Amino acid sequence: MARKFFIGGNFKMNPATAAARDAIVDTLNKAQLDGSAEVVIAPPALYLLPLQQTLRKEIALAAQNCHTNDSGAFTGEISPAQLADARIPYVILGHSERRTLFAETSDLVAQKTQAALAKGLKIIFCIGETLEEREANKTLEVCRAQLDAAINLLSPADWANIVIAYEPVWAIGTGKVATPQQAQEVHAALRAYLGEAIDANVASSTRIIYGGSVTGASCGELSSQPDIDGFLVGGASLKPEFVTIANVKG
Ligand code: PEP
């Protein structure tokens, strides 16, 4: 099955003002998008509803996180039911910043994934190893364990609504992009693992995207790797070069 290229922009907690946000949206709205990729941006939660009004319809919105519960006494959280009710189609879960700075475990990320899928949301499911883990040859062990928590909770059909983002922690926000060979090696191994742990259909149809310091300059060679189905872009998603990345397959 052909896998449509997927380009996600993770704004993280940026930008700091509505004026700067509107400048980014203006650039995206005026850009020529060639349609070769599904394009999704994840602004801070505060900006989701304004952007739903102002962002061109070819670009979809994602939240950067959600809770497991639909409502309740969870100050500061946003629920999958609220996102679904607001017609926000995607949510990023398991980003390394959530895992490391906010102590989210793989089990919690899997529970959030299950809860979000139950509300009809689509998931950008992030995994990836630290530098220490890579140097100890534990990259695949770590990524598999992060996937396993979800594989154990979900059914094979659920994976049609999940994009896996392989984001080596050492490459996120560091300017150290993985080489196309490094990324391809992990993506191919992850795809093989989906085949072993779930089934051949999930392995061939699930999009596995790369994240970690992707720029307009580095996206070309990465995009030509057979198992790289797109990118999750942080810093460069706030800049005009995000359009270059979104059109890389065109
Ligand atoms: C990210 O936050 O998911 C990311 C990949 O960030 P950056 O592109 O800035 O490394």
Side-chain angles (χ1 to χ4, degrees):
M1 187 199 292
R3 300 184 296 267
K4 179 145 183 153
F5 221 63
F6 183 101
I7 304 293
N10 175 17
F11 287 14
K12 316 195 190 203
M13 200 170 71
N14 297 298
T17 65
R21 171 201 76 197
D22 290 345
I24 294 168
V25 170
D26 194 50
T27 301
L28 292 176
N29 284 347
K30 289 181 177 150
Q32 205 145 15
L33 289 176
D34 63 21
S36 58
E38 179 178 0
V39 183
V40 177
I41 60 168
L46 180 67
Y47 296 157
L48 284 168
L49 292 182
L51 260 64
Q52 201 173 45
Q53 300 305 315
T54 57
L55 183 66
R56 67 197 290 176
K57 299 300 167 225
E58 300 98 314
I59 301 180
L61 288 166
Q64 297 177 9
N65 183 30
C66 71
H67 198 264
T68 50
N69 286 45
D70 287 343
S71 60
F74 302 103
T75 301
E77 293 290 313
I78 183 166
S79 86
Q82 291 166 337
L83 292 172
D85 184 60
R87 300 194 196 296
I88 302 301
Y90 273 96
V91 58
I92 297 175
L93 292 173
H95 191 279
S96 75
E97 288 150 19
R98 299 294 321 170
R99 292 177 186 268
T100 56
L101 303 175
F102 300 95
E104 292 196 9
T105 62
S106 292
D107 284 340
L108 178 62
V109 174
Q111 286 159 18
K112 288 182 174 199
T113 302
Q114 188 180 43
L117 287 168
K119 291 293 158 203
L121 297 172
K122 293 182 272 192
I123 318 297
I124 301 167
F125 186 94
C126 302
I127 59 174
E129 83 287 2
T130 63
L131 185 60
E132 296 70 42
E133 289 161 345
R134 173 162 281 263
E135 285 174 346
N137 284 322
K138 290 191 168 156
T139 297
L140 291 178
E141 189 185 316
V142 167
C143 292
R144 284 193 208 117
Q146 290 170 338
L147 279 175
D148 278 344
I151 290 171
N152 292 337
L153 274 191
L154 305 179
S155 70
D158 286 328
W159 291 86
N161 291 312
I162 297 176
V163 173
I164 296 173
Y166 168 60
E167 300 206 296
V169 179
W170 48 271
I172 297 179
T174 59
K176 279 190 214 148
V177 62
T179 65
Q181 294 69 30
Q182 279 175 322
Q184 166 59 24
E185 189 184 4
V186 177
H187 284 228
L190 292 174
R191 196 175 302 290
Y193 186 61
L194 294 177
E196 272 169 47
I198 311 174
D199 63 39
N201 175 51
V202 170
S204 65
S205 59
T206 301
R207 288 175 292 184
I208 306 177
I209 64 175
Y210 168 80
S213 297
V214 173
T215 62
S218 61
C219 66
E221 214 190 324
L222 283 161
S223 73
S224 64
Q225 301 301 312
D227 289 291
I228 296 183
D229 303 316
F231 303 112
L232 185 56
V233 183
S237 70
L238 301 164
K239 302 179 187 162
E241 72 187 278
F242 186 63
V243 176
T244 307
I245 301 171
N247 286 335
V248 68
K249 279 303 228 192

